[in-house]
């Protein structure tokens, strides 16, 4: 090939010599402004360096897609390149005492894993960042090299880089690609920014332990986390958000507000709800039950264990065993803690013959399940070993499937908005590599979910291969006030379990037919959802959700009797009350109530006691006009609309 025809996404095809680099092609086809923002190029689904020659792409006609720094792909390339920069700086500073492992870009930045006998400390970050900036000033290029795999193994063995050697031993193929940055070489597919001068805005964030390849039987490495951006304003915003996120950490606030605790004696990943946390949970559960009753669901309760054979029939032992606890012998029969609620609901379904006239059957349960999670990934309420799903299963006929998905989506989004989440991303997850059921059923199920989203006018992204083993699913990731995404809701269509369990109904034709089963959880788990709520509201819940809605406090002991009377009347009226009648200064008691994030403080002095009123102060510090006890109770009831429906 002496010439290759190159086209941009919008433009005419033009010929270039086969030995022309992608950078030179884009320089000829793009404006100067566009060229200066382009860090790589896309060829189909593959990203390539700007230094790549057209001939190496192996095509006579090529469509090049410029990848600009401001795009998600461009930012990933920037961050991956900065991970390499950090690794070189660490090696320059600490030399032969360090072994490098892997360093990918991640959602908010990048990390690199190192083996080093001396622990890294946050105090080291300044020196590492300074070394990185020194390297940046040299504007050295990222040089891509393709070499024989055996040659690469010899290179890294000579340098004592045992982790790279291990990775190379598992790579298929005769050749591999490396990237050279000065004297630092790294095993990498790329692409990278053209030269190190692009990497001007970065910050090291934290250090943590990480087992090599995520296996606790392997060496414990040190993982340095950092982030990088295309400009300083974005970095500043990110660092501000990071500080705000620390203030909102649900583990910190959960302890300060007395919501929950985790005991080493009880076990990691197992939540102990304290009185206020239990009350918050009950408020959510009561609202959830009322909403489901209004939408024609019936409530179920099921056991926490079942015979091991149940999980063989369901397929969980074949496809989910790594997330299940070991079985236990009871009366010489093996039993299993439940990781899911669905087989129990099928058991209830099969307790009697069902008719087509009964459909749809909508059953819901706040069912506690148990799943094994590695200790290293446990995280407060967000990643636990025992949690309560807001689970539901709908059995329906094929002609009812689309309408049921509509109903679930409507209920789902309404409940999320009630809790303050009106921003979200929706994903349609398709068949994974390991799955059960026929291709026909998978196609029908995926098509039903896709059509429902389209007809409801909801934008979504495909998430290939991320469905569960028995069916495709819709995932809804809510966004909090800091713009962070949280996985909560899921809707799954399942033809498989009804088939495995022999679930049938008698149709209008008098014959047996197999129903469709829809699995869905709107909050995901109560534990995770409450953790997200704590962080979203920074513990300052809206009045309808607040475990304590008001705290009454006296100015002197002379108002004790009246304060007690108001306290009892408001509790009888349904207001969640506390009292603080200590002989302390009023400002001190107000400050404590504000730290407890209680929506209202009711102050009682002689004037209020004589008038039969309370002085109302919001947690923001704003003072409201004095009001009667009945008027305050009415105010709280009005604010609690969602919980009182």
């Amino acid at each position: 090939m002496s010439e290759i025809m190159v086209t941009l996404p919008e433009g005419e095809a033009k010929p270039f010599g086969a030995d022309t680099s992608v950078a030179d092609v884009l320089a000829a086809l793009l404006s100067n402004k566009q060229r200066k923002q382009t860090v790589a190029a896309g060829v189909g689904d593959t990203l390539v360096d700007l230094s790549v020659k057209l001939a190496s792409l192996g095509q006579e006609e090529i469509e090049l897609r410029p990848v600009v720094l401001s795009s998600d792909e461009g930012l990933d390339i920037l961050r991956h390149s900065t991970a390499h920069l950090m690794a070189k700086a660490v090696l320059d500073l600490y030399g032969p005492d360090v072994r490098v492992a892997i360093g990918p870009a991640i959602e908010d930045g990048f990390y690199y894993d190192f083996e080093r006998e001396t622990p890294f400390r946050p105090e080291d970050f300044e020196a590492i960042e300074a070394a990185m900036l020194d390297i940046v000033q040299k504007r050295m290029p990222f040089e891509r090299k393709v070499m024989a795999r055996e040659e690469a193994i010899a290179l890294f063995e000579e340098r004592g880089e045992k982790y790279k050697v291990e990775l190379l031993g598992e790579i298929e193929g005769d050749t591999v690609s490396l990237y050279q940055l000065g004297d630092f070489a790294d095993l990498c597919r790329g692409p990278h920014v053209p030269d190190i001068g692009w990497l001007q805005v970065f910050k090291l964030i934290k250090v943590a332990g990480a087992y090599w390849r995520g296996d606790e039987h392997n060496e414990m490495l040190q993982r340095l986390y950092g982030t990088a951006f295309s400009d300083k304003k974005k970095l500043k915003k990110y660092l501000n958000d990071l500080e705000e996120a620390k203030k909102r950490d649900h583990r910190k606030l959960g302890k300060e507000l007395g919501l929950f605790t985790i005991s080493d004696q009880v076990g990691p990943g197992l939540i102990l709800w304290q009185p206020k946390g239990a009350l918050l949970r009950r408020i959510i559960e009561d609202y959830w039950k009322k909403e489901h009753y209004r939408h024609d669901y019936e409530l179920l309760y099921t056991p926490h264990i079942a015979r091991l054979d149940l999980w063989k029939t369901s397929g969980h032992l074949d496809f989910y065993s790594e997330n299940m606890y070991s079985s236990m012998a009871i009366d010489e029969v093996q039993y299993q803690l439940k990781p899911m609620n669905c087989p129990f609901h099928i058991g209830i379904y099969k307790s009697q013959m069902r008719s087509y006239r009964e459909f749809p059957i909508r059953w819901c349960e706040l069912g506690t399940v148990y799943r094994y999670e590695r200790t290293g990934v446990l995280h407060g309420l967000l990643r636990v070993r025992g949690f309560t799903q807001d689970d539901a299963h709908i059995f329906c006929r094929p002609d009812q499937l689309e309408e049921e998905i509509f109903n679930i989506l409507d209920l789902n989004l309404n409940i999320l908005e009630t809790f303050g989440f009106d921003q979200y991303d929706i994903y349609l997850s398709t068949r994974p590599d390991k799955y059960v059921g026929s291709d026909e059923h998978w196609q029908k199920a995926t098509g039903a979910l896709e059509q429902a989203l389209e007809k409801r006018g909801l934008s979504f992204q495909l998430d290939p291969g991320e469905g569960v083993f028995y069916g495709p699913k819709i995932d809804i990731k809510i966004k909090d006030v800091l713009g962070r995404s949280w996985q909560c809701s899921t809707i799954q269509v399942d033809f498989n379990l009804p088939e495995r369990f022999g679930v049938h109904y008698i149709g209008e034709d008098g014959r047996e037919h197999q129903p469709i089963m829809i699995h869905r959880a709107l909050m995901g788990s109560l534990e995770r959802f409450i953790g997200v709520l704590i962080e979203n509201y920074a513990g300052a819940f809206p009045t309808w959700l607040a475990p304590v809605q008001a705290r009454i406090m006296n100015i002197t002991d002379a108002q004790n009797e009246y304060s007690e009377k108001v306290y009892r009347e408001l509790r009888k009226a349904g207001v969640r009350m506390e009292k603080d009648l200590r002989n302390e200064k009023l400002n001190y008691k107000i400050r404590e109530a504000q730290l407890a994030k209680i929506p209202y403080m009711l102050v009682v002095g002689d004037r209020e006691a004589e008038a039969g009123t309370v002085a109302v102060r919001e947690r923001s510090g704003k003072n409201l006009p004095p009001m009667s006890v009945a008027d305050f109770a009415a105010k709280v009831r009005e604010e609690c609309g969602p919980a009182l429906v």
Side-chain angles (χ1 to χ4, degrees), residues 129-251:
E129 289 170 352
M132 291 168 71
L133 285 172
D134 285 343
I135 298 168
V136 168
Q137 303 312 311
K138 298 174 183 176
R139 300 192 70 89
M140 62 182 70
F142 276 96
E143 296 181 81
R144 186 175 188 269
K145 296 182 178 180
V146 177
M147 64 173 61
R149 188 169 68 92
E150 295 303 322
E151 184 183 351
I153 290 174
L155 171 68
F156 285 112
E157 281 181 340
E158 182 182 349
R159 297 186 177 194
E161 296 292 1
K162 60 181 181 180
Y163 300 106
K164 303 296 182 184
V165 172
E166 181 178 330
L167 291 173
L168 281 163
E170 298 175 4
I171 292 177
E172 296 181 359
D174 297 330
T175 61
V176 295
S177 62
L178 277 67
Y179 278 81
Q180 191 85 26
L181 185 62
D183 58 357
F184 172 64
D186 204 352
L187 177 66
C188 184
R189 289 193 184 97
H192 287 285
V193 295
D195 68 66
I196 208 75
W198 287 78
L199 311 180
Q200 299 283 343
V201 183
F202 51 79
K203 184 71 177 175
L204 301 194
I205 303 297
K206 64 178 180 179
V207 60
Y211 290 110
W212 169 235
R213 311 190 84 166
D215 187 339
E216 64 264 34
H217 299 103
N218 289 337
E219 298 94 327
M220 173 66 79
L221 305 177
Q222 297 186 66
R223 178 167 292 177
L224 286 181
Y225 286 92
T227 192
F229 287 90
S230 57
D231 64 67
K232 292 182 179 179
K233 286 184 180 179
K234 291 178 181 177
L235 175 62
K236 183 178 180 180
K237 181 183 182 305
Y238 174 79
L239 295 177
N240 288 339
D241 287 348
L242 207 59
E243 287 303 310
E244 183 61 29
K246 289 179 183 178
K247 297 175 187 176
R248 292 169 178 265
D249 190 318
H250 75 282
R251 296 167 298 178

Side-chain angles (χ1 to χ4, degrees), residues 19-280:
D19 198 41
T20 309
S21 70
V22 170
D24 288 340
V25 170
L26 294 179
L29 298 179
L30 295 176
S31 69
N32 194 45
K33 182 178 180 182
Q34 289 175 305
R35 182 181 58 77
K36 288 183 177 180
Q37 284 296 307
T38 301
V39 292
V43 181
D45 295 331
T46 303
L47 298 180
V48 299
D49 294 293
L50 296 183
S51 60
V52 165
K53 305 293 185 182
L54 293 181
S56 68
L57 300 177
Q59 301 175 31
E60 293 183 4
E61 296 182 2
I62 299 172
E63 181 176 297
L64 281 182
R65 173 171 53 85
V67 176
V68 296
L69 193 60
S70 58
S71 68
D72 290 341
E73 290 175 320
L75 189 57
D76 278 347
I77 292 169
L78 179 79
R79 288 170 170 172
H80 189 190
S81 301
T82 312
H84 282 230
L85 168 63
M86 179 177 70
K88 174 170 171 50
V90 168
L91 287 171
D92 287 351
L93 283 173
Y94 305 108
D97 295 335
V98 179
R99 297 289 175 268
V100 295
I102 57 172
I106 54 177
E107 184 177 357
D108 293 323
F110 60 87
Y111 69 77
Y112 213 111
D113 290 342
F114 300 95
E115 179 190 280
R116 182 183 180 225
E117 186 173 340
T118 305
F120 288 108
R121 301 170 302 165
E123 293 78 21
D124 298 325
F125 292 176
E126 186 175 344
I128 296 172
E129 289 170 352
M132 291 168 71
L133 285 172
D134 285 343
I135 298 168
V136 168
Q137 303 312 311
K138 298 174 183 176
R139 300 192 70 89
M140 62 182 70
F142 276 96
E143 296 181 81
R144 186 175 188 269
K145 296 182 178 180
V146 177
M147 64 173 61
R149 188 169 68 92
E150 295 303 322
E151 184 183 351
I153 290 174
L155 171 68
F156 285 112
E157 281 181 340
E158 182 182 349
R159 297 186 177 194
E161 296 292 1
K162 60 181 181 180
Y163 300 106
K164 303 296 182 184
V165 172
E166 181 178 330
L167 291 173
L168 281 163
E170 298 175 4
I171 292 177
E172 296 181 359
D174 297 330
T175 61
V176 295
S177 62
L178 277 67
Y179 278 81
Q180 191 85 26
L181 185 62
D183 58 357
F184 172 64
D186 204 352
L187 177 66
C188 184
R189 289 193 184 97
H192 287 285
V193 295
D195 68 66
I196 208 75
W198 287 78
L199 311 180
Q200 299 283 343
V201 183
F202 51 79
K203 184 71 177 175
L204 301 194
I205 303 297
K206 64 178 180 179
V207 60
Y211 290 110
W212 169 235
R213 311 190 84 166
D215 187 339
E216 64 264 34
H217 299 103
N218 289 337
E219 298 94 327
M220 173 66 79
L221 305 177
Q222 297 186 66
R223 178 167 292 177
L224 286 181
Y225 286 92
T227 192
F229 287 90
S230 57
D231 64 67
K232 292 182 179 179
K233 286 184 180 179
K234 291 178 181 177
L235 175 62
K236 183 178 180 180
K237 181 183 182 305
Y238 174 79
L239 295 177
N240 288 339
D241 287 348
L242 207 59
E243 287 303 310
E244 183 61 29
K246 289 179 183 178
K247 297 175 187 176
R248 292 169 178 265
D249 190 318
H250 75 282
R251 296 167 298 178
K252 170 178 173 288
L253 291 173
K255 181 178 181 180
E256 293 173 357
L257 301 178
L259 300 177
F260 70 93
T261 190
I262 299 171
S263 165
D264 288 338
Q265 190 171 28
V266 173
L270 302 172
I271 305 302
L272 302 176
W273 293 98
Q274 299 194 40
K276 289 179 182 176
L279 181 52
L280 171 61

Side-chain angles (χ1 to χ4, degrees), residues 396-427:
C396 65
R397 303 189 306 264
D399 62 291
Q400 297 170 322
L401 177 58
E402 187 175 278
E403 186 64 27
E404 286 308 303
I405 297 173
F406 285 166
N407 292 338
I408 294 168
L409 285 169
D410 290 345
L411 174 61
N412 197 341
L413 299 181
N414 178 63
I415 285 179
L416 292 178
E417 287 173 11
T418 298
F419 284 100
F421 301 111
D422 56 7
Q423 300 293 319
Y424 38 77
D425 292 318
I426 300 177
Y427 297 85

Side-chain angles (χ1 to χ4, degrees), residues 422-486:
D422 56 7
Q423 300 293 319
Y424 38 77
D425 292 318
I426 300 177
Y427 297 85
L428 176 57
S429 301
T430 59
R431 189 177 63 197
D433 292 334
K434 292 176 63 177
Y435 66 94
V436 294
S438 69
D439 291 347
E440 180 186 1
H441 282 167
W442 273 88
Q443 290 169 4
K444 285 182 179 179
T446 305
L449 293 173
E450 187 171 6
Q451 288 174 28
L453 289 169
E454 289 174 348
K455 289 185 179 181
R456 272 292 185 263
L458 297 169
S459 61
F460 64 93
Q461 302 174 47
L462 281 178
D463 199 2
E466 291 303 314
V468 287
F469 70 86
Y470 51 76
K473 61 176 179 169
I474 292 172
D475 285 327
I476 300 178
K477 297 184 180 181
I478 58 177
K479 292 187 176 181
D480 66 12
V481 294
L482 296 182
R484 298 175 298 177
S485 291
W486 305 91

